[in-house]
Structures are given as structure tokens and as C-alpha cells.
Amino acid sequence: MLRPSPLRLSSGQLLPFDVPKIMGIVNVTPDSFSDGGQFDGVQDAVDHALRLKKEGAAILDVGGESTRPGSAPVGTEEQKRRVIPVITAIRQKSSLPISIDTTDAAVAAAALEAGASIVNDISAFRFDSDMLGLIARSGCPAIA
């Protein structure tokens, strides 16, 4: 049986895919469709992330902009204000891979600098023309 190669993260860490992986979702938004904004404070989000890890998450996906239908767009600086402290705090407590859920290359760049190692872009890199260049330069894996 052919096994998939492990994914090399920008941190150098290898993420094997010999078994399916669970991605834990950490929405740092007041209007999330999946959790109703329960984790929009830094400590609440970090506690949630560590609980997800304990429950078996192999990757933590942190996002600062809701993608629910009818949600208002969130600007670059506000997204960074929401996600960077959470990513920094998670990274201090866990080596679990962190993906940044954003369509904004500037947010993704700041998140990678703060400790994220994967970019998760629901637009498949269509909303921000700088996203593909960032991913190429950083060498990080990406989810489209």
C-alpha cells in the first residue's frame, strides 16, 4: 500500500498522514457560525485550542473573520488584532501545527511570523493576489 509522504511544515516539523488527522477550529470572531463567538477572547480561545488538542486535534486552525453567509468583511488590522495574540499564546503552550484561516496575505504573513505554519485560504488564493507569492516565499503548506 502506498503511503502519503509527510507534510513538511515551515517550522521544519513533519506532519505524517499515515492516518487521518483532525483539525480543531478556533474561531476568534464574535459572529462565528459554528460556535457563536464563544472563543473571541484570547484566553478563551487558547483554552479551547488546548482542549481540542487534548481531545485529539492534530492541527489547530485559527481564524479571525467569519465566513458565514451574510457576515461582514473584517479588515486586515482587525483580523491581526484577533488572531496574532491567540497564535502566539498557543505556540507558547503547544508545538501542535497551527494553520491561519484567512484570505488576506498580510494576515497570513503576520500569523506565520507569530508561529502558524500552514495557510488555509477558503478563496483558493483568489481574493488576494499576494497570497501565492507569500506561500511560495515562506515555503509553508497551504490549504485551498
Side-chain angles (χ1 to χ4, degrees), residues 21-80:
K21 302 294 185 212
I22 295 171
M23 177 182 275
I25 306 302
V26 182
N27 289 317
V28 191
T29 62
D31 60 344
S32 169
F33 66 88
S34 64
D35 61 35
Q38 292 179 359
F39 311 112
D40 65 343
V42 175
Q43 192 58 55
D44 289 338
V46 172
D47 290 346
H48 177 60
L50 296 175
R51 188 170 40 257
L52 290 168
K53 176 184 176 186
K54 186 176 180 180
E55 292 173 354
I59 303 168
L60 297 170
D61 187 56
V62 178
E65 179 178 36
S66 177
T67 56
R68 71 171 170 72
S71 63
V74 177
T76 300
E77 294 309 312
E78 178 61 15
Q79 282 190 60
K80 286 196 240 181

Side-chain angles (χ1 to χ4, degrees), residues 90-116:
I90 292 170
R91 181 53 59 233
Q92 291 172 351
K93 296 178 184 240
S94 174
S95 63
L96 213 59
I98 299 170
S99 62
I100 177 63
D101 181 357
T102 188
T103 59
D104 185 312
V107 174
L112 291 170
E113 191 172 306

